[in-house]
Amino acid sequence: MDTHSVIKNQFSISQFGEYYLPSVNRNTFEKIDSRTLYKQKYSRDIFKEDTLHIIFGLDSGLLVNYILENDRPSGSKYIFVELPVVLSLLNVDIPKNKSSYIKIFNLEQLSEHLESSQDDLFLIKNQSIITLSLAVSSGIIEEYIEFFNTAHRIISQHTSLKKSCFTQKIFVTQQLKNVCDNHIPASILNNKFTGKMAIIVGGGPSFDNHIAWIKNNYQDLFIIAVSRMAAILSKAGIPAHIIVSVDPQEHSFEVNRDMMSLSKESLFITSHHVNHRIVSQWQGTSLYIGEALPWVNEPNNIPTIGPTVTNSALRIAIEYGFKNILLSGVDFCHSNNGITHAQGTVEAQAGTSNSAINEWVETYAGEIAETPIQLVYAAQALQEEAQSYPDVTISNLSINAAQVDGIDYQPIDSVKIIPANINPQQLLALVDELSSSQAEFFVKKHDELSSALTDFKRINCLCIKAIELNSELVSNRKTPKKHQKINAKIESIENTLKNNFAEYTNAIKFYGYYEFSKFLTTKDTEDWTVDQMNDMTYQYYNAFKVISSTLIGSIAESIDYVELRLEELKETASISLLHKGWLKYNQPGRVNIWLASQTEESKISYSKEDTHLIEALQENYHQQLTSLSHPYFSMQKSNQSLVNTQTKILDLQKNNNATGLRILLKGLEPLMKENETADRLFHLAEHYLYIIEKRFELALESVQKIADVQLTEIERKQILFLSLKLYDLDLAEKTLSELTQYSDEYLPQHAHILSLQGNNQQALDMYLDFLDKYPTDESTLIKLGIFLAGLGEINGAKSAFEQILSFNPDNLTASNYLTQLA
């Protein structure tokens, strides 16, 4: 057991017959039994189906018992994570029939379990919920604060890593949906702007400080904007030359939909895996970076560089020959007053998150700024990119941006612009000159996809045959000759896959990383058993079978896309067929692209039914562009949530992060009038800020502004700390009297304050009351001995020290005091 821990090996029994550790749960279970408390706090959320419930803290084992006593929610699992010191005191028995879905770990075991990948699917699909036990959520025990933050980061980093490994699926899925739109490679403009200057405009808050300068110098600038900023630039009268988008996620359309009306004023460059709803409904010219098909390597095209759109925008600028690249709104962190994005974005309107515990980075100004872990990775990737091209000068125009090696800060007034001498319209005209026929392209893609579909079906058949042979291998293991022949057949299949379908098998393995990882093992080959080898063979070919089947479906759908586009090009296209296809693939905006290609005569000839279908598509697309029902637009509500704010405050306080507390105060202040919890948390955060600044009188004033009914043990402990620091014994005694409602551990301290006030009899009674419940508490027995010695009660003092030695003969403090009293 950790001797430095505040958690003691002392149990209490509540009036409801429940055993608990008072040093962990205070007096929480004395007035209300645990089951009632858990029903009130967690409602039914803790029994949500198909969910990985990660619960920090056991509440002395009572929270585990609560889960054990209820039926298992369908498809759900529970992982409890607890401090080692607490686990060493508890003996929680998980029945065998429930051990498959309820686990108890310390931090090291949690990390090992996550590495086993058993629960990755929950994390990848965002089907996990983090719940804090009553003890952890109270924020009283500092060990829990550090424990929670460490565990939370372990889970976040593991989840982020696994998601990055498994996003291959969505990348490939979108790539195949985009096969018609991945028409013109972005490389057609390579080295067209050698020696020129470009400015990349990101969505960071520093852009607001640069927009006036960009507008004043617009005629000489070449602007590459990330997609979320394009509409903001356009409204300011400074349309971008190039708009870049790379995100394959479904909500990417909602994030970027304001730019969809800019198709006639900017060139659109997308990754090959950008969400299909964006590029398929874009009514202008677009180029793609990356590969048109998952199994075709395009070494001459510009690669997609991650993890953010800014990383790809920088590579595009470099490949186009720009030798001086300016960055605006490329901050990779929040501003020094907590703003996350430039004005006009949904994120800026939503404000900062009151609960998210993020990373902190150093800015060019030498200050610290908050940032999510994803932007830390993006900054690292940008650093590698910058260092790979030392002949390109990359400068950040914001002193408040995160420092990135290889990229220097440059004040705006020192920038000497090298004119690009091309406006967006001229750029679009240049691309149009280099474009090729759509009809020929679609026919070619149809042939390529049809050929691939045939080969993927062959691969699927070969894998099914390999699985059958492996089954025969298992049943004929005692027949060496037959065994050898079967092995030869399996080897022949493997050679066929490698030699005849190499490009396709590589695509299958990329897409099916998760499935193929199942047959991997850390064992050395010489340690493999026959059963393990057979099982690995099955896992390997089964992964091929499953993934090839999935890709067969995606390729067939891609062929359908191409046929739909060929239908669009027909002079007498079937509007009914187009309507059905565009709705099926959620691309109603293509109706406007198609209508723009039609003559006025053909438009007049539409039947009433055709006109109705066209109008329905236009209305559907209008809804996509205007609806606020998507979760993305309710970001403000989630940012204002206070579910984890107290933990964030305590984390900032523990790290002496005054900047973070000031930013959090800005987020809490607007909520104070209508939310009592926000009012309490505001004054708690303000209190800790004053503590860091060593303004102790103000710190006390701040915490005392919290209404008595809102005060928790945390605030009262802070009042006690400051009352002692400011030598206000009356306030200290009053506060300790209140703190004893939470835990008996305050009784000895209360007794000491009473003795300082001269209330010796009250102090003695309090010491004895405490020791009556906890007779082996050595610290309190020593305090009692010192107290009695001070009163001249030598025999009583000796008795206290002797009592300690009776159960702990090695206590040197007690021995020394006894020697002195002798």
Side-chain angles (χ1 to χ4, degrees):
M1 182 171 162
D2 185 356
T3 55
H4 301 292
S5 176
V6 299
I7 297 165
K8 306 301 180 186
N9 187 12
Q10 295 168 338
F11 284 84
S12 288
I13 306 175
S14 73
Q15 61 175 313
F16 309 103
E18 297 181 321
Y19 286 79
Y20 68 93
L21 291 161
S23 56
V24 170
N25 286 112
R26 341 303 285 161
N27 294 338
T28 302
F29 302 115
E30 286 299 333
K31 294 181 180 178
I32 305 176
D33 67 281
S34 63
R35 293 174 190 81
T36 303
L37 273 173
Y38 293 143
K39 285 179 182 177
Q40 291 174 355
K41 181 173 177 65
Y42 304 121
S43 185
R44 294 297 303 171
D45 291 344
I46 205 166
F47 297 114
K48 187 176 180 180
E49 296 182 349
D50 299 313
T51 301
L52 176 64
H53 296 272
I54 303 174
I55 302 175
F56 294 118
L58 303 179
D59 275 343
S60 305
L62 294 174
L63 186 48
V64 190
N65 291 339
Y66 180 64
I67 299 300
L68 286 169
E69 290 166 3
N70 285 272
D71 293 333
R72 178 189 184 181
S74 176
S76 287
K77 289 185 176 182
Y78 291 85
I79 293 177
F80 286 88
V81 193
E82 182 58 275
L83 292 166
V85 63
V86 176
L87 291 176
S88 69
L89 300 174
L90 300 176
N91 183 22
V92 182
D93 183 30
I94 306 295
K96 283 187 177 180
N97 64 329
K98 298 190 177 185
S99 61
S100 62
Y101 70 93
I102 299 178
K103 309 286 184 184
I104 299 176
F105 299 129
N106 58 32
L107 283 181
E108 186 178 343
Q109 291 166 333
L110 170 67
S111 185
E112 289 173 358
H113 177 77
L114 292 175
E115 288 301 319
S116 74
S117 302
Q118 293 178 39
D119 296 319
D120 281 350
L121 206 53
F122 287 106
L123 302 174
I124 294 161
K125 296 175 71 176
N126 295 318
Q127 290 178 203
S128 64
I129 294 176
I130 290 178
T131 302
L132 306 186
S133 69
L134 296 176
V136 176
S137 64
S138 72
I140 299 301
I141 302 169
E142 287 193 9
E143 291 168 77
Y144 272 138
I145 298 167
E146 188 172 350
F147 157 79
F148 168 75
N149 292 336
T150 303
H152 194 273
R153 285 189 170 96
I154 288 172
I155 294 167
S156 297
Q157 290 171 4
H158 179 83
T159 302
S160 179
L161 176 64
K162 288 301 177 181
K163 281 187 174 179
S164 68
C165 289
F166 295 110
T167 46
Q168 288 96 326
K169 283 186 171 63
I170 190 171
F171 288 158
V172 174
T173 300
Q174 294 301 320
Q175 186 178 17
L176 287 170
K177 288 178 183 290
N178 293 337
V179 69
C180 295
D181 300 297
N182 291 338
H183 180 195
I184 311 170
S187 56
I188 63 168
L189 293 178
N190 279 5
N191 300 315
K192 297 292 184 185
F193 306 98
T194 302
K196 303 294 185 180
M197 174 181 281
I199 181 169
I200 295 174
V201 176
S206 69
F207 168 74
D208 297 331
N209 301 322
H210 307 147
I211 187 169
W213 179 85
I214 293 172
K215 189 167 186 176
N216 291 337
N217 294 280
Y218 178 61
Q219 296 305 317
D220 293 326
L221 291 172
F222 189 102
I223 300 176
I224 302 175
V226 304
S227 49
R228 68 162 59 244
M229 296 302 295
I232 294 171
L233 285 165
S234 182
K235 287 175 185 175
I238 44 179
H241 291 69
I242 292 172
I243 301 171
V244 185
S245 187
V246 302
D247 193 352
Q249 303 294 335
E250 186 63 24
H251 73 281
S252 180
F253 180 86
E254 278 66 33
V255 174
N256 298 303
R257 69 186 188 183
D258 288 346
M259 69 147 200
M260 296 302 287
S261 61
L262 310 179
S263 58
K264 303 306 177 192
E265 65 181 43
S266 297
L267 172 64
F268 192 26
I269 300 182
T270 73
S271 66
H272 63 256
H273 54 61
V274 74
N275 185 268
H276 72 101
R277 291 169 62 206
I278 299 176
V279 66
S280 68
Q281 298 180 113
W282 179 255
Q283 297 178 47
T285 304
S286 67
L287 309 178
Y288 72 94
I289 55 177
E291 288 82 30
L293 290 168
W295 49 84
V296 177
N297 184 26
E298 294 187 47
N300 296 324
N301 197 17
I302 301 170
T304 295
I305 304 295
T308 70
V309 61
T310 306
N311 300 92
S312 282
L314 178 64
R315 174 57 74 90
I316 290 167
I318 291 171
E319 296 287 355
Y320 283 1
F322 292 103
K323 293 300 179 186
N324 289 272
I325 301 171
L326 307 175
L327 306 178
S328 171
V330 183
D331 302 338
F332 294 117
C333 63
H334 302 171
S335 72
N336 51 16
N337 57 1
I339 297 172
T340 64
H341 288 74
Q343 291 180 22
T345 61
V346 172
E347 288 82 358
Q349 295 166 359
T352 56
S353 170
N354 291 325
S355 293
I357 298 176
N358 290 314
E359 306 298 316
W360 290 80
V361 293
E362 187 175 355
T363 67
Y364 290 104
E367 299 177 348
I368 59 169
E370 188 174 11
T371 191
I373 186 67
Q374 292 85 351
L375 289 187
V376 173
Y377 295 148
Q380 291 170 353
L382 200 74
Q383 175 180 310
E384 293 172 8
E385 193 78 357
Q387 292 172 341
S388 299
Y389 296 92
D391 57 328
V392 178
T393 301
I394 307 171
S395 307
N396 202 311
L397 299 179
S398 175
I399 197 169
N400 296 315
Q403 288 187 26
V404 177
D405 289 345
I407 298 175
D408 295 323
Y409 160 64
Q410 183 176 12
I412 273 185
D413 54 16
S414 70
V415 174
K416 294 180 180 178
I417 299 174
I418 305 170
N421 297 322
I422 188 170
N423 62 39
Q425 292 304 314
Q426 291 170 326
L427 179 64
L428 286 170
L430 175 61
V431 173
D432 286 341
E433 288 175 14
L434 301 169
S435 300
S436 58
S437 163
Q438 273 194 329
E440 292 178 9
F441 171 77
F442 292 149
V443 171
K444 181 182 177 184
K445 287 300 169 189
H446 193 280
D447 291 342
E448 289 178 7
L449 289 166
S450 298
S451 176
L453 184 62
T454 299
D455 285 344
F456 270 90
K457 287 178 178 178
R458 289 173 181 165
I459 291 170
N460 188 260
C461 290
L462 286 170
C463 294
I464 292 171
K465 181 62 178 175
I467 291 170
E468 292 172 353
L469 288 168
N470 188 62
S471 181
E472 286 184 41
L473 204 62
V474 174
S475 58
N476 288 280
R477 66 176 65 183
K478 294 182 179 179
T479 313
K481 287 185 178 180
K482 197 166 186 180
H483 197 277
Q484 192 174 6
K485 286 182 179 179
I486 296 170
N487 262 327
K489 289 179 181 179
I490 293 176
E491 190 174 336
S492 175
I493 289 174
E494 183 62 23
N495 288 333
T496 302
L497 291 173
K498 285 181 179 179
N499 299 327
N500 297 7
F501 305 106
E503 291 176 339
Y504 296 142
T505 56
N506 287 336
I508 288 171
K509 289 176 181 178
F510 176 80
Y511 183 92
Y513 178 90
Y514 175 74
E515 287 78 5
F516 280 95
S517 67
K518 289 181 179 179
F519 78 87
L520 300 176
T521 177
T522 56
K523 287 180 178 292
D524 293 328
T525 53
E526 60 266 22
D527 296 329
W528 293 352
T529 66
V530 173
D531 288 340
Q532 286 173 336
M533 291 176 68
N534 288 335
D535 183 62
M536 288 168 63
T537 301
Y538 168 78
Q539 295 284 3
Y540 177 74
Y541 288 108
N542 189 59
F544 258 115
K545 184 189 79 169
V546 170
I547 300 307
S548 59
S549 294
T550 302
L551 287 174
I552 285 168
S554 295
I555 295 167
E557 184 181 86
S558 191
I559 292 171
D560 201 14
Y561 276 98
V562 176
E563 290 174 349
L564 196 61
R565 294 296 178 88
L566 288 169
E567 183 68 26
E568 291 177 26
L569 296 178
K570 291 180 180 178
E571 288 186 13
T572 56
S574 167
I575 295 176
S576 174
L577 184 62
L578 294 176
H579 172 268
K580 182 180 178 182
W582 290 335
L583 286 185
K584 177 182 178 181
Y585 297 120
N586 201 11
Q587 300 171 355
R590 287 208 61 78
V591 67
N592 293 325
I593 300 171
W594 180 75
L595 283 172
S597 69
Q598 301 299 295
T599 64
E600 289 302 318
E601 290 180 359
S602 62
K603 290 179 182 178
I604 295 171
S605 66
Y606 299 152
S607 67
K608 286 185 178 180
E609 183 181 349
D610 287 343
T611 302
H612 175 73
L613 293 176
I614 290 169
E615 290 173 349
L617 286 163
Q618 289 175 321
E619 175 57 27
N620 188 308
Y621 184 52
H622 178 71
Q623 285 295 316
Q624 285 195 19
L625 294 174
T626 57
S627 173
L628 298 177
S629 62
H630 194 278
Y632 172 69
F633 299 103
S634 60
M635 189 179 298
Q636 184 171 13
K637 183 178 179 181
S638 61
N639 278 359
Q640 291 181 348
S641 167
L642 305 176
V643 66
N644 196 38
T645 306
Q646 180 170 285
T647 305
K648 181 170 184 172
I649 291 171
L650 297 172
D651 178 69
L652 293 169
Q653 175 266 333
K654 188 174 180 65
N655 291 289
N656 288 321
N657 192 334
T659 300
L661 286 169
R662 290 190 192 98
I663 292 170
L664 185 56
L665 286 170
K666 282 186 63 180
L668 291 171
E669 191 170 16
L671 310 179
M672 292 172 65
K673 289 183 181 179
E674 298 180 3
N675 190 318
E676 291 179 345
T677 301
D679 183 82
R680 178 180 78 82
L681 293 170
F682 176 89
H683 287 110
L684 180 63
E686 185 180 57
H687 157 82
Y688 282 126
L689 177 60
Y690 287 139
I691 292 285
I692 292 171
E693 295 173 346
K694 301 190 183 306
R695 300 160 74 182
F696 300 114
E697 291 85 358
L698 288 174
L700 182 57
E701 285 179 23
S702 184
V703 76
Q704 286 182 315
K705 289 177 183 177
I706 301 172
D708 283 349
V709 293
Q710 286 290 309
L711 285 171
T712 70
E713 188 179 351
I714 291 178
E715 289 83 26
R716 288 192 165 99
K717 278 184 73 173
Q718 291 306 115
I719 292 171
L720 174 62
F721 161 72
L722 289 168
S723 64
L724 293 172
K725 193 166 191 68
L726 299 171
Y727 305 106
D728 188 339
L729 291 183
D730 289 341
L731 179 59
E733 193 280 322
K734 173 180 176 295
T735 306
L736 276 164
S737 178
E738 295 166 344
L739 281 168
T740 55
Q741 301 170 22
Y742 299 98
S743 174
D744 291 337
E745 71 181 45
Y746 296 106
L747 287 170
Q749 196 174 2
H750 192 187
H752 179 65
I753 294 296
L754 287 170
S755 71
L756 293 176
Q757 291 179 311
N759 299 321
N760 293 326
Q761 187 57 50
Q762 279 184 270
L764 179 59
D765 291 343
M766 198 163 288
Y767 276 128
L768 294 175
D769 285 344
F770 179 83
L771 289 167
D772 188 47
K773 291 182 74 174
Y774 311 105
T776 60
D777 190 291
E778 297 178 39
S779 174
T780 303
L781 280 166
I782 286 172
K783 289 176 183 176
L784 175 62
I786 295 171
F787 168 70
L788 291 171
L791 295 177
E793 297 287 339
I794 304 303
N795 289 334
K798 285 182 178 180
S799 178
F801 297 132
E802 287 169 351
Q803 187 175 338
I804 295 170
L805 294 173
S806 70
F807 55 79
N808 183 10
D810 298 324
N811 191 306
L812 295 177
T813 304
S815 298
N816 288 337
Y817 275 118
L818 271 177
T819 302
Q820 293 176 38
L821 291 174

